């Protein structure tokens, strides 16, 4: 069990207030008034404020710091989650459009780096949550096993280039896990923020990965979210990667699973940074000159893009290669989120070439 599991909401809040690390969105928005208003509330899945804030209080260096303990937390703990959501997604009002993936036969974009000199690989993912289950802090081992069974049954309906095989983590050798993780296919249990939020409870039971035969479409089962649908390939052909994901989403959305959503928040996820479209489109791209610029973070912020390391969030870049992706997922459609990422990546490529004197 995570270290912070023994602390109640007051003890967690006291730790948060005493911390001197840079201000997380949790610290910014869990005011004394919001704390007083929410500290004794309990969600429909029996989740508590402590369940939502534990990770950010035990990890003061969090960026967001708060998770929804379950889908109902977005209603029960709205006094805290709503200001966090508005702040992260840079919106003044909580409203979200109906899903719109655009016309994949006429996207207007394809390979963002035809030369192949800069973009190593491209990935687009969305998250989905089973409507009738909680999130990690309130999930039981039986819940995860039930969700895994329901998910695998749905994945077995995938056809054509999306058809494939499910590999549970239980029974997978450490060597196989290390190989798949190094190749950026598989997740592991190394994220301390997620650990403190209950993300690794009963690990590895109920977790696994689905691979299409060509390994360009994957589904993560019970990592941070109940489901992550992932399309990825080497090179910079964002058009192909995105089109494949949209085809998979449409097949999986019609397979009978009931996904958690709210009109004004779109699809619901464990972390409030991911809800709405839940879409993160990323490239691993070589930008040693731009990344060395003092204003690199402001350059990204102004374009609503985010730079990460190449082995997942909270990791470092390697050899000047960064993970560049869209930051906003709420208040815009799926095609708008991908277009925002495309425009950001094109600006990054242009700036890197200018700095390299090309
Ligand atoms: P997410 O929240 O989208 O899962 P993470 O930062 O946790 O993002 O990354 C998850 C995994 O996906 C990591 O192993 C990371 O290296 C890999 N990944 C993300 N973007 C790309 C990309 N464009 N190409 C290859 N692997 C990627
Ligand atoms: N640990 C959280 C994560 C923020 C967003 N990333 C997610 N959900 N994977 C933090 O506050 O840093």
């Amino acid at each position: 069990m995570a270290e912070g599991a023994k602390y109640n909401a007051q003890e967690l809040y006291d730790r948060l207030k005493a911390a001197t690390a840079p201000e997380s969105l949790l610290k910014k928005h869990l005011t004394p008034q919001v704390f007083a208003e929410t500290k004794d509330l309990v969600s429909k899945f029996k989740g508590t404020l402590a369940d939502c804030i534990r990770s950010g209080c035990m990890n003061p260096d969090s960026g967001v710091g708060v998770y929804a303990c379950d889908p109902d937390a977005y209603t029960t703990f709205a006094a805290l989650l709503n200001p966090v959501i508005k702040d992260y997604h840079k919106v003044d009002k909580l409203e979200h459009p109906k899903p719109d993936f655009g016309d994949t036969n006429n996207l207007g974009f394809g390979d963002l780096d035809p030369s192949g000199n800069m973009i190593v690989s491209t990935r687009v993912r969305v998250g989905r949550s089973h409507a009738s289950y909680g999130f990690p802090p309130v999930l039981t081992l039986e819940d995860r096993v039930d969700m895994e069974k329901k998910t695998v049954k749905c994945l077995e309906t995938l056809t054509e280039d999306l058809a494939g095989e499910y590999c549970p983590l239980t029974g997978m050798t450490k060597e196989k896990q290390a190989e798949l993780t190094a190749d950026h296919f598989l997740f592991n249990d190394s994220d301390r923020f997620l650990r403190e939020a209950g993300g690794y409870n009963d690990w590895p039971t109920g977790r696994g990965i689905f691979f299409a035969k060509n390994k360009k479409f994957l589904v993560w089962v019970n990592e941070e979210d109940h489901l992550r649908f992932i399309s990825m390939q080497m090179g910079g052909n964002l058009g192909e990667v995105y089109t494949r994901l949209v085809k998979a989403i449409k097949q999986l959305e019609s397979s009978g699973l009931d996904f958690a959503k709210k009109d004004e928040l779109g699809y619901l996820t464990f972390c409030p940074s991911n809800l709405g479209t839940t879409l993160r489109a990323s490239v691993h791209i070589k930008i040693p000159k731009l990344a060395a610029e003092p204003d690199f973070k402001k350059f990204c912020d102004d374009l609503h893009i985010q730079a990460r390391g190449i082995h997942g969030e909270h990791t470092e870049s390697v050899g000047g290669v960064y993970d560049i992706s869209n930051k906003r997922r709420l208040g815009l459609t799926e095609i708008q989120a991908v277009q925002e990422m495309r425009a950001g990546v094109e600006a990054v490529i242009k700036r890197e070439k200018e700095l390299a004197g090309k």
Side-chain angles (χ1 to χ4, degrees), residues 16 24 76 113 155 166-168 194 229 247 276 303 333 336 354:
L16 181 70
S24 64
T76 303
D113 176 31
L155 294 173
Y166 178 70
C167 305
L194 187 55
F229 304 155
K247 179 181 172 184
L303 291 162
T333 63
Q336 288 172 332
E354 286 168 357

Side-chain angles (χ1 to χ4, degrees), residues 129-307:
S129 305
H130 294 281
S132 52
Y133 289 84
F135 295 148
V138 301
L139 281 176
T140 64
L141 182 147
E142 293 73 21
D143 288 336
R144 282 193 169 92
V145 170
D146 289 350
M147 285 196 284
E148 183 185 37
K149 284 177 184 163
K150 285 186 172 76
T151 301
V152 171
K153 198 172 171 193
C154 158
L155 294 173
E156 286 168 349
T157 67
L158 287 168
T159 61
E160 301 169 346
D161 59 328
L162 300 176
E165 180 190 6
Y166 178 70
C167 305
L169 254 60
T170 303
M172 189 186 288
T173 65
K174 287 288 182 199
E175 293 70 31
K176 184 66 176 170
Q177 283 186 51
E179 175 201 326
L180 292 172
T181 304
D183 291 341
H184 306 294
F185 288 121
L186 183 60
F187 56 89
N188 55 35
D189 61 343
S190 63
D191 183 321
R192 61 184 159 93
F193 304 90
L194 187 55
R195 176 175 299 282
E196 199 60 64
Y200 302 139
N201 293 348
D202 303 312
W203 179 274
T205 303
R207 281 81 170 190
I209 181 168
F210 171 89
F211 290 103
K213 291 186 183 67
N214 62 14
K215 284 196 173 175
K216 292 181 178 179
F217 176 69
L218 316 169
V219 175
W220 287 356
V221 177
N222 286 328
E223 187 240 359
E224 171 176 330
D225 282 312
H226 297 164
L227 289 156
R228 288 282 177 92
F229 304 155
I230 302 163
S231 175
M232 64 188 283
Q233 65 191 49
M234 301 309 286
N237 200 321
L238 178 63
E240 270 185 23
V241 173
Y242 177 68
T243 299
R244 182 186 302 116
L245 181 67
V246 172
K247 179 181 172 184
I249 291 170
K250 289 181 176 174
Q251 282 197 25
L252 291 165
E253 294 270 3
S254 59
S255 66
L257 291 179
D258 180 18
F259 295 131
K261 48 182 165 228
K262 273 187 90 176
D263 287 348
E264 69 277 22
L265 297 179
Y267 287 102
L268 302 182
T269 52
F270 184 26
C271 180
S273 69
N274 280 318
L275 48 66
T277 61
T278 75
L279 187 143
R280 189 172 90 88
S282 61
V283 288
H284 281 184
I285 185 169
K286 300 169 194 164
I287 48 170
K289 302 279 187 195
L290 174 57
E293 289 291 290
D295 70 340
F296 177 46
K297 184 177 184 312
K298 184 181 184 306
F299 182 86
C300 292
D301 288 347
D302 290 349
L303 291 162
H304 295 306
I305 57 177
Q306 183 181 38

Side-chain angles (χ1 to χ4, degrees), residues 121 123 125 184 228 280 282 284 308 310 312-313 323:
S121 51
R123 174 181 184 267
R125 64 83 165 159
H184 306 294
R228 288 282 177 92
R280 189 172 90 88
S282 61
H284 281 184
R308 298 183 181 189
I310 65 164
E313 193 176 18
D323 172 323

